[in-house]
């Protein structure tokens, strides 16, 4: 059985946003689930807009999500391969020269619309004589090149949409090569898929029509088609389309906000499917959940508030081994006991610094009832503290003072932490230790 190869093909003309993360993750998770390979292809044939810094950012953002490609290629380094393919299409009569200017094409489209006709290119260039072409070139015009579509239906069995088809008779012949000789997306994409052996093309449903066009190019170049899957697109919570201008929804914007990468990944691929959005412990777990057949046909709404809640839930179940390096990087020690004590109170990992300050000190106690706290100090048990120390201590304080409920626990929490909320003190007390606890109960910062 041939190993599956999928690809993610961003254009390095801006930063990735959450909408880009969806196809990237669908492809990566498909490869993980089917023991396949993942190709990162930079579609950088737009020389004017493609920037190395954007390519670096793309690799960094994918790495943050946990996506590590098996192979990386750059279209700008493969132009000779595209030139050869274009020449094959010219020789076969499937790529033809056109000399219309953008203004001429625009006027032609408007006339067609005014007459109630679809704005499809009329193939006027096919009727040009050699003399007419020479005259255009003498004027200084350079041709752009269109692919001659066959007026037939293209059908395929889509991984998401099931049996699918597009009638190419209703489409304009697409421009594959610009006047300056540079390539639009369509031809290099097909050539790369053929040359690299891509087996499955998983992308957004906005490419459905493009798939029909590309299928004819595959066939014209003598290649078999990959398997296609077209998933629904992400929108904002209000239903707007996502774009690179929404900086706060860029992957680096989300990362800088402190949300968990696993939460971004889970929401990006589970929303808009029949599977419930839930926290996951790893991308491998997520790969086991994601099934393209479960993807809905309706747009998937990405809700930032849902992401924040999912990020917190992801943290709450995260094992210490998964965060140890990140905690060390922000100066938080305490090991696994500290992490297990505080993780349930975090919305973002950076908040662990607050609770480490509470544990390590100095913390400024809040003493609401000095007599009550002094009595509690007398009853504080000797070390070593363990998970039962808090219960036995508070039971003794309750018997001695008659306090119960909030009146028992809140003064002790405020004295020990300086706060009126936080993790369970049964877990924090052993971390604070008896010496610091006594000082705080005496009203000292410690």
């Amino acid at each position: 059985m041939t190993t599956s190869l999928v690809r993610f093909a961003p254009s390095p003309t801006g930063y990735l946003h959450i909408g880009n993360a969806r196809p990237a993750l669908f492809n990566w998770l498909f490869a993980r689930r089917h023991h396949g390979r993942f190709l990162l292809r930079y579609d950088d044939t737009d020389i004017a807009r493609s920037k190395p810094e954007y390519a670096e950012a793309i690799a960094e953002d994918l790495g943050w999500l946990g996506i590590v490609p098996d192979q990386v290629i750059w279209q700008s380094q493969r132009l000779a391969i595209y030139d050869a393919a274009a020449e094959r299409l010219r020789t076969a009569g499937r790529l033809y020269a056109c000399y219309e200017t953008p203004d001429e094409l625009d006027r032609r489209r408007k006339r067609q619309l005014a007459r109630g006709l679809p704005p499809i290119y009329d193939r006027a260039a096919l009727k040009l004589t050699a003399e007419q072409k020479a005259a255009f070139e003498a004027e200084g015009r350079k041709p752009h090149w269109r692919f001659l579509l066959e007026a037939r239906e293209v059908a395929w069995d889509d991984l998401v949409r099931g049996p699918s088809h597009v009638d190419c008779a209703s489409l304009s012949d697409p421009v594959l090569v610009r006047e300056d000789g540079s390539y639009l997306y369509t031809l290099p994409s097909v050539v790369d898929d053929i040359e690299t052996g891509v087996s499955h093309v998983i992308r957004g449903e906005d490419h459905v029509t493009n798939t029909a066009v590309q299928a004819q190019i595959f066939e014209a170049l003598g290649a078999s088609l990959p398997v296609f899957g077209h998933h629904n697109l992400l929108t904002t919570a209000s239903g707007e389309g996502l774009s690179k201008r929404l900086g706060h929804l860029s992957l680096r914007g989300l990362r800088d906000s402190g949300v968990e990468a696993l939460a971004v990944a889970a929401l990006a691929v589970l929303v808009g499917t029949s599977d419930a959005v839930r926290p996951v412990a790893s991308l491998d777990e997520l790969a086991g959940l994601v099934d393209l057949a479960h993807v809905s046909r309706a747009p998937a709404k990405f809700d930032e508030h849902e992401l924040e809640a999912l990020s917190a839930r992801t943290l709450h179940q995260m094992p210490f081994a998964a965060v140890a390096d990140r905690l060390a990087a922000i100066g938080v020690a305490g090991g696994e006991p500290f992490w297990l004590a505080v993780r349930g109170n975090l919305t973002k990992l950076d908040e662990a610094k607050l609770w480490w300050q509470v544990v390590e000190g100095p913390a400024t106690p809040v003493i609401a009832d000095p007599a009550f706290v002094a009595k509690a100090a007398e009853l504080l048990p000797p070390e070593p503290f363990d998970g039962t120390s808090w219960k036995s201590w508070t039971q003794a304080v309750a018997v001695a003072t008659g306090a119960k409920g909030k009146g028992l626990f809140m003064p002790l929490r405020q004295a020990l932490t300086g706060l009126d909320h936080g993790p369970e003190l049964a877990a924090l007390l052993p971390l604070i230790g008896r010496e610091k606890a006594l000082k705080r109960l005496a009203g000292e910062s410690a």
Side-chain angles (χ1 to χ4, degrees):
M1 181 178 177
T2 303
T3 301
S4 60
L5 174 66
V6 297
R7 48 84 163 173
F8 175 58
S11 172
T13 56
Y15 296 115
L16 295 183
H17 56 67
I18 187 65
N20 306 129
R22 189 166 172 83
L25 285 159
F26 272 137
N27 279 282
W28 172 255
L29 296 171
F30 183 91
R32 301 288 282 188
R33 182 174 180 133
H34 297 282
H35 308 290
R37 300 173 65 246
F38 177 94
L39 166 68
L40 172 60
R41 187 183 78 210
Y42 290 107
D43 287 5
D44 61 339
T45 56
D46 187 342
I47 304 300
R49 296 176 59 225
S50 296
K51 305 292 182 187
E53 56 266 33
Y54 288 134
E56 291 172 9
I58 287 169
E60 189 177 288
D61 290 341
L62 292 178
W64 176 66
L65 285 176
I67 295 174
V68 181
D70 297 292
Q71 183 182 359
V72 180
I73 63 174
W74 302 72
Q75 288 192 329
S76 60
Q77 299 173 1
R78 299 167 60 82
L79 298 179
I81 300 174
Y82 313 143
D83 291 343
E87 191 55 39
R88 285 182 61 189
L89 294 177
R90 289 188 185 96
T91 301
R94 297 297 296 276
L95 194 62
Y96 63 97
C98 304
Y99 291 86
E100 297 92 346
T101 66
D103 284 343
E104 289 169 345
L105 290 171
D106 185 55
R107 287 196 297 272
R108 191 175 298 176
R109 280 191 293 267
K110 288 177 179 176
R111 286 197 299 270
Q112 288 172 309
L113 288 170
R115 295 168 57 194
L117 300 173
I120 297 172
Y121 180 63
D122 60 7
R123 293 179 170 170
L126 287 175
K127 302 169 188 173
L128 293 175
T129 65
E131 291 77 12
Q132 288 172 316
K133 292 179 182 179
F136 279 133
E137 294 193 10
E139 292 178 16
R141 296 196 189 194
K142 293 183 178 180
H144 57 273
W145 297 79
R146 290 182 184 267
F147 178 72
L148 183 63
L149 286 171
E150 295 175 347
R152 60 180 173 85
E153 189 176 86
V154 172
W156 68 94
D157 190 15
D158 198 282
L159 291 172
V160 177
R161 302 160 66 90
S164 302
H165 62 87
V166 172
D167 184 3
C168 292
S170 64
L171 305 178
S172 284
D173 291 341
V175 177
L176 300 190
V177 187
R178 300 182 181 93
E179 291 178 6
D180 63 2
S182 64
Y183 293 97
L184 283 84
Y185 161 84
T186 311
L187 180 61
S189 179
V190 171
V191 172
D192 284 336
D193 286 344
I194 295 170
E195 293 289 325
T196 58
V198 167
S199 61
H200 296 75
V201 175
I202 301 166
R203 55 190 179 182
E205 63 184 8
D206 52 333
H207 284 284
V208 167
T209 299
N210 192 36
T211 290
V213 171
Q214 290 186 328
Q216 288 207 23
I217 299 174
F218 272 101
E219 293 164 355
L221 292 172
S224 57
L225 300 184
V227 177
F228 291 100
H230 296 86
H231 59 78
N232 53 3
L233 301 179
L234 283 185
T235 69
T236 64
S238 58
E240 296 175 84
L242 296 171
S243 72
K244 291 175 182 175
R245 64 181 174 78
L246 296 172
H248 66 296
L249 291 182
S250 69
L251 292 186
R252 61 191 35 230
L254 293 171
R255 181 179 61 188
D256 291 345
S257 74
V259 298
E260 290 299 308
L262 275 173
V264 173
L267 186 58
V269 296
L270 292 177
V271 70
T273 74
S274 58
D275 299 303
V277 174
R278 70 193 83 173
V280 295
S282 67
L283 287 181
D284 283 336
E285 180 185 340
L286 188 59
L289 294 174
V290 171
D291 186 336
L292 290 172
H294 296 175
V295 176
S296 168
R297 294 289 294 270
K301 291 188 176 181
F302 177 80
D303 188 330
E304 293 174 71
H305 299 297
E306 185 176 9
L307 175 62
E308 291 172 2
L310 182 62
S311 182
R313 291 168 61 200
T314 301
L315 270 180
H316 297 168
Q317 67 174 32
M318 201 168 280
F320 174 67
V323 296
D325 290 345
R326 294 168 62 194
L327 290 173
I330 60 174
V332 172
E336 186 171 33
F338 171 78
W339 174 248
L340 296 179
V342 305
R343 66 179 180 178
N345 285 78
L346 305 179
T347 57
K348 295 178 180 177
L349 185 123
D350 192 61
E351 294 168 4
K353 290 191 292 188
L354 165 66
W355 300 114
W356 180 240
Q357 179 67 37
V358 167
V359 167
E360 184 68 2
T364 302
V366 174
I367 307 297
D369 185 340
F372 173 82
V373 172
K375 187 62 178 177
E378 293 176 14
L379 298 170
L380 187 64
E383 289 185 314
F385 289 160
D386 59 24
T388 66
S389 300
W390 169 256
K391 183 176 181 181
S392 60
W393 179 38
T394 53
Q395 286 177 339
V397 174
V399 171
T401 65
K404 58 184 179 179
K406 187 175 182 180
L408 171 64
F409 300 116
M410 185 58 70
L412 296 178
R413 175 177 290 281
Q414 289 179 318
L416 291 173
T417 69
L419 300 168
D420 61 2
H421 63 283
E424 292 293 331
L425 281 166
L428 283 187
L429 183 61
L431 297 170
I432 293 170
R434 193 171 194 275
E435 181 180 353
K436 277 188 291 212
L438 285 173
K439 288 181 179 178
R440 294 177 189 181
L441 290 167
E444 301 175 28
S445 292

